[in-house]
C-alpha cells in the first residue's frame, strides 16, 4: 500500500483553513498532518515534521517571515524540495510570473471549487503543474494579450513610489504634496502602474502590494528599476 501524501495547510482565515482541510480529506491518499495560521507557526512546523506538500495562502500577514512573495521566496530557499500549492484571490501578470520564477508550479484561486486544492496536491506530488480554472483562464488571457511577446512587467521608481504611498493610506492629493508633484502627475503615474500590472481596481492594487511586500517597504529600499532591494 502506497504511503499517504502528507500535507501542511496554512491560512490566516479559519473558515478557509477548515474548508481546505475538508476538501483534502475527500481525496484518498492525502493526509493533513498540520495547520498553520501565520508564517512563524508555518516555518516551525516545516522544521519539525515530515511534509510532502505545502498548501499555503499568499496573503497571510502577522508572522515573523512575512507573507506574499517574500514568504514564498523564503520557503523556496529553505525548503527547496517541498512542492507548494499557493492559494490566492489575486490574478495578475506580475504575480503569476513571479510565482513561476520562484518555482511555484501550482496556483489555486479561492473563488474556484475547493476540490481543486486536492487535485493540485495530487499533481505537484508527482512533479506536475496544476492551475485551477480561474488561474488557467487568466494565464490564457495573458498569453493572448501578449501576442507572443515576452515582456517583463516593470514599474519605474516613481510609479512604485506612488503605489507604495497610496496603499499605505495616503490620498492622491497627499502624495502630490509629499512628493512635490501635481495631482495630475500622481494620478497618471498610479494609473500607468495599474495598467502595467493588469489591475483595474484599487482593491486589487492593495492585494498586489501586500503580496509583493510593498506595504513594508520604505522609499529608499526601491532601486531605479522598480525592484525591491
Amino acid at each position: 500500500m502506497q504511503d499517504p501524501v502528507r500535507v501542511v495547510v496554512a491560512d490566516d482565515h479559519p473558515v478557509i483553513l477548515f474548508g481546505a482541510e475538508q476538501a483534502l480529506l475527500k481525496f484518498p491518499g492525502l493526509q493533513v498532518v498540520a495547520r498553520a495560521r501565520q508564517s512563524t507557526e508555518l516555518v516551525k512546523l516545516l522544521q519539525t515534521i515530515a511534509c510532502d506538500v505545502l498548501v499555503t495562502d499568499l496573503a497571510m500577514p502577522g508572522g515573523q517571515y512575512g507573507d506574499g512573495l517574500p514568504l514564498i521566496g523564503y520557503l523556496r530557499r529553505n525548503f527547496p524540495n517541498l512542492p507548494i500549492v499557493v492559494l490566492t484571490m489575486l490574478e495578475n501578470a506580475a504575480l503569476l510570473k513571479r510565482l513561476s520564477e520562484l518555482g511555484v508550479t501550482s496556483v489555486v484561486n479561492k473563488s474556484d471549487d475547493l476540490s481543486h486544492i486536492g487535485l493540485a496536491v495530487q499533481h505537484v506530488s508527482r512533479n506536475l503543474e496544476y492551475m485551477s480554472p480561474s488561474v488557467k483562464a487568466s494565464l490564457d488571457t495573458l498569453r493572448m494579450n501578449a501576442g507572443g511577446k515576452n515582456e517583463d512587467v516593470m514599474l519605474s521608481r516613481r510609479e512604485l513610489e506612488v503605489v507604495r504611498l497610496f496603499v499605505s493610506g495616503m490620498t492622491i492629493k497627499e502624495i502630490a504634496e509629499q512628493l512635490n508633484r501635481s495631482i495630475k502627475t500622481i494620478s497618471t503615474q498610479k494609473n500607468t502602474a495599474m495598467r502595467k500590472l493588469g489591475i483595474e481596481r484599487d482593491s486589487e492594487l492593495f492585494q498586489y502590494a501586500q503580496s509583493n511586500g510593498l506595504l513594508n517597504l520604505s522609499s529608499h529600499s526601491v532601486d531605479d528599476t522598480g525592484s525591491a532591494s
Side-chain angles (χ1 to χ4, degrees):
M1 184 176 177
Q2 190 173 8
D3 292 335
V5 176
R6 297 161 297 187
V7 185
V8 169
V9 183
D11 198 293
D12 62 326
H13 295 94
V15 173
I16 299 295
L17 197 60
F18 177 79
E21 181 174 357
Q22 293 304 305
L24 288 167
L25 291 176
K26 294 180 181 178
F27 285 78
L30 303 187
Q31 179 185 4
V32 177
V33 293
R35 302 146 210 81
R37 294 283 299 277
Q38 34 87 335
S39 63
T40 306
E41 188 179 4
L42 172 59
V43 171
K44 184 176 180 180
L45 283 171
L46 295 179
Q47 291 172 338
T48 55
I49 68 171
C51 171
D52 299 310
V53 177
L54 168 64
V55 175
T56 182
D57 187 10
L58 192 60
M60 194 170 54
Q64 177 183 348
Y65 303 93
D67 69 339
L69 294 175
L71 173 60
I72 299 300
Y74 177 87
L75 294 172
R76 294 297 300 154
R77 291 191 302 274
N78 290 274
F79 307 95
N81 298 319
L82 177 64
I84 300 174
V85 176
V86 167
L87 303 179
T88 182
M89 289 294 290
L90 186 63
E91 300 162 359
N92 64 64
L95 175 64
L96 295 174
K97 180 175 183 295
R98 188 68 185 120
L99 284 172
S100 177
E101 290 171 349
L102 288 171
V104 173
T105 60
S106 180
V107 182
V108 175
N109 190 300
K110 292 182 181 180
S111 65
D112 288 325
D113 192 285
L114 290 180
S115 64
H116 290 285
I117 299 174
L119 293 171
V121 170
Q122 287 183 330
H123 277 71
V124 298
S125 67
R126 303 189 199 107
N127 297 317
L128 300 173
E129 177 183 302
Y130 187 87
M131 303 291 168
S132 71
S134 293
V135 178
K136 189 175 185 303
S138 294
L139 288 171
D140 290 343
T141 300
L142 289 173
R143 293 188 185 104
M144 289 172 61
N145 290 341
K149 300 176 182 178
N150 183 18
E151 298 180 350
D152 289 341
V153 177
M154 188 66 71
L155 302 186
S156 70
R157 180 186 180 89
R158 291 193 169 191
E159 290 164 355
L160 193 56
E161 187 176 35
V162 169
V163 169
R164 182 185 59 78
L165 292 174
F166 181 75
V167 299
S168 75
M170 295 178 68
T171 65
I172 296 297
K173 181 180 179 181
E174 290 169 339
I175 297 172
E177 291 174 351
Q178 176 166 322
L179 300 180
N180 196 26
R181 300 177 205 159
S182 70
I183 292 176
K184 181 179 180 181
T185 296
I186 297 300
S187 180
T188 298
Q189 289 169 338
K190 172 178 171 283
N191 291 335
T192 300
M194 292 176 70
R195 185 170 64 250
K196 284 183 179 180
L197 296 171
I199 291 173
E200 297 180 356
R201 295 183 292 272
D202 287 349
S203 60
E204 294 177 335
L205 190 60
F206 279 96
Q207 288 180 309
Y208 171 82
Q210 184 180 54
S211 297
N212 285 272
L214 295 184
L215 295 179
N216 301 317
L217 289 178
S218 57
S219 59
H220 63 268
S221 65
V222 178
D223 62 32
D224 288 324
T225 65
S227 299
S229 58

